[in-house]
Amino acid sequence: MSPKPMARPGGRSARVQESVHAAVRELVEEAGRDALTVPMVATRAGVTPSTIYRRWGDLQELLSDVAVERLRPETGPADLGNLRADLDAWAEQFLDEMASPSGRAYIRDALLGDPDGTNAGRCSAYAAEQIDAVLARAVRRGEPVPETELLIDRVVAPIMYRILFRPGRLDAAYARELVTNALCAPRTAAGA
């Protein structure tokens, strides 16, 4: 398969992407994901099926692209005044959103239509950006901080593993326990 072209900011490409993404979201809501077809999406979006095939390759890659956009956080992480509170709140929200039925469906779609790993990388970057924002605030407050990758490994990775393979114990207490374990790890970050 050929790599998916990147959308230019603005212009026709962005309008096509937005109309196709909106059509997918609307049709999933109305008819369900399993009823979707490329011609159905194209008709709703006001484009030809060949536009969708040319840009996304197939329905699964389109669903994957839509899922990645839906997994993008809409707001920055809460600022509760200290690193521990900020990380607890972020981890709880991350777990809650990813473990929800819609979160699980988006994760599944994001991974299924991602033959080269690009979408998985984008999703990982979203989590890292959120963690970086929390850590930057803590550094400005003079708090010692762990490395972003340590938090990815000790908070994000276990949450995603449980969501995908062992869905038990997906609650706020589990998220806070992961944060505790990560913060007790040896500190090697710039703010340490």
Side-chain angles (χ1 to χ4, degrees), residues 17-18 23 31 40 47 69 73 75 84-85 93 97 102 111 125-126 142 148 158 172 187 189 192:
Q17 179 175 335
E18 179 50 40
M40 181 187 291
V47 299
E69 287 304 311
T75 61
R84 176 55 194 253
Q93 181 178 357
E97 289 173 0
S102 61
L111 297 176
Y126 297 155
T148 299
R187 296 177 189 241

Side-chain angles (χ1 to χ4, degrees), residues 46 115 118 136:
T118 301

Side-chain angles (χ1 to χ4, degrees), residues 88 91-93 95-96 169-178:
D88 279 345
E92 289 174 30
Q93 181 178 357
L95 185 147
D96 188 52
R169 195 158 178 239
L170 289 168
D171 58 17
Y174 176 65
R176 288 189 306 271
E177 179 183 314
L178 293 173

Side-chain angles (χ1 to χ4, degrees), residues 99-117:
S100 71
S102 61
R104 289 173 190 260
Y106 292 138
I107 291 166
R108 180 190 66 233
D109 283 342
L111 297 176
L112 285 175
D114 189 25
D116 63 0

Side-chain angles (χ1 to χ4, degrees), residues 1-21 24 38 41-42 45 47-66 69 72 113 115-116 118-119 122:
M1 284 194 185
S2 63
K4 292 175 264 185
M6 297 303 292
R8 293 174 296 174
R12 183 180 187 282
S13 181
R15 287 191 304 274
V16 167
Q17 179 175 335
E18 179 50 40
S19 67
V20 170
H21 278 216
V24 169
V38 169
V41 172
V47 299
T48 64
S50 64
T51 298
I52 293 174
Y53 290 121
R54 186 172 45 255
R55 180 159 184 158
W56 286 279
D58 61 21
L59 182 61
Q60 189 57 59
E61 286 190 44
L62 171 58
L63 290 171
S64 182
D65 192 48
V66 171
E69 287 304 311
R72 177 192 307 266
D116 63 0
T118 301
N119 289 343
R122 287 172 55 201

Side-chain angles (χ1 to χ4, degrees), residues 72-88:
R72 177 192 307 266
E74 294 178 5
T75 61
D79 185 351
L80 301 175
N82 67 70
L83 178 63
R84 176 55 194 253
D86 289 356
L87 284 175
D88 279 345

